[in-house]
Amino acid sequence: MMRPLTILILCGGIWSCVSRDLPGPNCENFIVSFKNDIKPIIETSCLINNSDCHGMNPSIPNWALFSEVQSHASEIKIRTSDRSMPKIGSLTQPEIDLIMCWVDNGAMDN
C-alpha cells in the first residue's frame, strides 16, 4: 500500500510532465547543429512518404528545403513542443529539446 506522501509526489510528478508552463531546456552554451541534429529528425519524422507530410504535399511547407525550415523555425518549435507535430509518430523529449535549442540559438544553417 502506498503512503499518502508517495501518492502526492507521483501525482505532482505526472502533472509537472504535462504542464505547458514549465521552462524549456537550458540552451545556453549548447550548440545544436542543423546538419547533425535537426536534419535527421526532420528526415525521419517530417519528410516521410505521406500526403499530409512536409515535402509530399505542395500546399504545406517543404522541410527538405533549409530556407523553409528556417523561415518556419518558431512555428516548428511550438508545434513540436506542444506535440501537435509530427502528425504521424512522435518525437522524444530529447529531440524536442534539440529543436527548441536550435531555434532559441538562432536556427543556424550549421
Side-chain angles (χ1 to χ4, degrees):
M1 183 164 147
M2 283 198 215
R3 297 181 302 174
L5 181 59
T6 304
I7 293 170
L8 180 62
I9 291 170
L10 286 174
C11 291
I14 291 169
W15 176 253
S16 70
C17 291
V18 297
S19 174
R20 294 176 193 251
D21 296 330
L22 292 177
N26 181 358
C27 301
E28 196 172 307
N29 301 319
F30 184 66
I31 304 295
V32 179
S33 164
F34 177 78
K35 179 183 174 189
N36 297 325
D37 301 313
I38 305 303
K39 188 175 180 183
I41 296 169
I42 290 172
E43 289 174 344
T44 59
S45 300
C46 310
L47 293 173
I48 56 177
N49 192 14
N50 184 293
S51 62
D52 291 332
C53 296
H54 299 276
M56 301 302 293
N57 184 337
S59 66
I60 58 177
N62 183 348
W63 292 165
L65 304 171
F66 174 78
S67 60
E68 286 290 307
V69 174
Q70 189 178 45
S71 67
H72 292 88
S74 293
E75 183 181 352
I76 293 169
K77 175 185 170 182
I78 292 166
R79 301 284 305 272
T80 55
S81 62
D82 74 7
R83 298 187 181 272
S84 63
M85 285 289 168
K87 286 186 177 183
I88 298 171
S90 62
L91 299 179
T92 66
Q93 190 59 53
E95 290 172 322
I96 293 168
D97 291 347
L98 282 170
I99 291 168
M100 291 176 75
C101 287
W102 177 72
V103 173
D104 289 350
N105 290 335
M108 305 296 285
D109 186 7
N110 54 351

